[in-house]
Amino acid sequence: EEGGVQRTGFIADQRATGSGVIVDPDGYIVTNAHVVIDARHIDVSVMEPGQPGQPAKHKHFAATTVGLDRETDLAVLKIEAKGLPTLSFLDDTDSLKQGQLVLALGSPLGLDNSLTVGFVSAAVRQLSPDKPNFYIQTDAPINPGNSGGPLLDIAGRIAGINTMIMSQSGGSEGIGFAIPS
């Protein structure tokens, strides 16, 4: 008891939103590890094909974590679904060039199914000489909620998985990073 006020323990209900990309029609999804790392429940919302100009309908699935790697910040989830639409990976990220057009998909700030456009600022960027991780740097606007979503080339292939930004304001300032496919 402090100053006549009794302190009690409580459990907080916290929610986080991230993005992911379906890479196998049987329900395997790639996202960032930091999106799901301490989650007790993962709800995946999959958009259903709809009519142009109409609000998108979503189907929800409980997901399990199949694999997670903190160092690369990648996770694989599984939902019980079949025949899902997928995106394929770019075979060779060495083919990415500075100035190439790229698209970032995700749910920035909870705004689902958002697409932003930008350029490859650097095809290979190492952020720290102490760490062996390399990233694709892009100026495509990436914000909280885009984490785990795909960075696509103009043919719609996954060039990388959006993972972080450098920002002084907390929002997109045109310095985003994706883990190469």
Side-chain angles (χ1 to χ4, degrees), residues 37-180:
I37 201 148
D38 291 321
R40 285 188 276 158
H41 175 76
I42 302 169
D43 176 68
V44 172
S45 174
V46 177
M47 278 186 28
E48 295 182 339
Q51 299 293 324
Q54 298 295 317
K57 293 182 180 174
H58 297 262
K59 192 165 186 182
H60 291 264
F61 300 88
T64 56
T65 303
V66 174
L68 187 138
D69 183 57
R70 290 176 191 253
E71 191 171 327
T72 59
D73 193 22
L74 289 172
V76 176
L77 307 178
K78 174 75 169 85
I79 60 174
E80 293 306 316
K82 300 278 186 207
L84 296 170
T86 63
L87 291 175
S88 61
F89 287 97
L90 179 64
D91 292 332
D92 182 14
T93 54
D94 290 342
S95 66
L96 284 178
K97 303 289 183 234
Q98 189 175 41
Q100 183 174 334
L101 202 60
V102 287
L103 313 165
L105 288 177
S107 299
L109 307 173
L111 300 170
D112 65 334
N113 193 32
S114 292
L115 176 134
T116 57
V117 178
F119 297 98
V120 172
S121 302
V124 179
R125 174 72 69 203
Q126 186 176 17
L127 297 178
S128 168
D130 304 343
K131 295 188 177 182
N133 299 355
F134 290 88
Y135 300 92
I136 301 164
Q137 181 183 337
T138 181
D139 70 348
I142 296 172
N143 286 287
N146 273 109
S147 290
L151 183 71
L152 305 173
D153 69 1
I154 57 170
R157 296 171 298 195
I158 304 166
I161 300 296
N162 300 316
T163 190
M164 69 179 129
I165 60 173
M166 281 189 178
S167 174
Q168 294 179 343
S169 68
S172 176
E173 295 179 10
I175 307 174
F177 299 95
I179 302 160

